[in-house]
């Protein structure tokens, strides 16, 4: 059994719980009230583990909500950030709880990310998939949300040629460098060549 000697206000909404033996614990006021923690209380180690878990869960959830307020995250992306400070089990439980109420939604996140990558950053398919995979989106979901942009690939390349690379297309060396830059941005040689032919013929 653990003997609680005193429960004292620490700072903000945190209380310091002092035991007869061992280091003090720092517990949020909501958890103090929820479990009825008080001076002179005796509690089993298993029951204290539940209190400790509830306190860590609350802290991790507050951190997760702060991160989600800043910007949307995928399940894996949010988990990885929480894992830097909390146990794996806590991280899974927190993210699962946010999924259950719709705060974390990989499909919504993937659709918004796909739109930003394709329409704002004007990435090619391969780079977009790579970025989405790095952010915790599965290959299957990435393919699904990127498919609506497939028909406009050549159009996006032509736009890039007109707005970003036009001054570099004066000779064969410049054209080669532009093609390589577009490949690095995730476009296929096939689509690049079609777009290049279309753009140069119009010019």
């Amino acid at each position: 059994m653990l003997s609680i000697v005193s429960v004292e206000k620490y700072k903000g909404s945190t209380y310091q719980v002092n035991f007869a033996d061992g280091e003090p614990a720092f517990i949020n006021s909501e958890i103090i009230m929820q479990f009825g923690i008080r001076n002179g209380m005796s509690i089993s180690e298993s029951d204290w583990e539940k209190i400790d878990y509830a306190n860590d869960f609350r802290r991790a959830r507050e951190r997760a909500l702060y991160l989600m307020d800043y910007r949307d995250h995928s399940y894996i992306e949010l988990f990885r950030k929480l894992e830097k400070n909390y146990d794996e089990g806590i991280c899974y439980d927190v993210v699962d709880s946010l999924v259950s109420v719709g705060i974390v939604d990989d499909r919504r996140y993937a659709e918004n990310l796909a739109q930003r990558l394709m329409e704002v950053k004007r990435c090619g398919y391969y780079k977009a998939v790579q970025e989405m995979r790095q952010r915790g989106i599965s290959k299957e979901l990435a393919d699904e949300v990127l498919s609506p942009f497939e028909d406009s690939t050549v159009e996006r390349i032509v736009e890039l040629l007109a707005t970003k690379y036009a001054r570099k297309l004066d000779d064969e060396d410049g054209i080669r460098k532009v093609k390589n830059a577009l490949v690095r941005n995730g476009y296929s040689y096939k689509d690049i060549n079609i777009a290049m032919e279309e753009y140069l013929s119009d010019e």
Side-chain angles (χ1 to χ4, degrees), residues 46 81 136 147 185:
S46 62
K81 289 188 176 182
S147 62
N185 204 34

Side-chain angles (χ1 to χ4, degrees), residues 161-162 164-170 199:
L161 293 174
K164 186 175 181 179
Y165 297 113
R167 294 168 59 186
K168 300 179 180 179
L169 299 174
D170 294 335
Y199 175 78

Side-chain angles (χ1 to χ4, degrees), residues 122-159:
R122 291 180 292 185
C123 294
Y125 166 80
Y126 299 106
K127 186 172 182 180
V129 169
Q130 182 183 36
E131 291 231 7
M132 297 182 87
R133 297 287 288 128
Q134 289 173 350
R135 297 184 186 218
I137 299 300
S138 69
K139 176 68 163 55
E140 293 75 18
L141 181 54
D143 284 340
E144 189 175 337
V145 298
L146 289 171
S147 62
F149 300 94
E150 186 176 350
D151 291 342
S152 60
T153 299
V154 171
E155 181 183 332
R156 288 198 309 279
I157 299 174
V158 170
E159 184 181 351

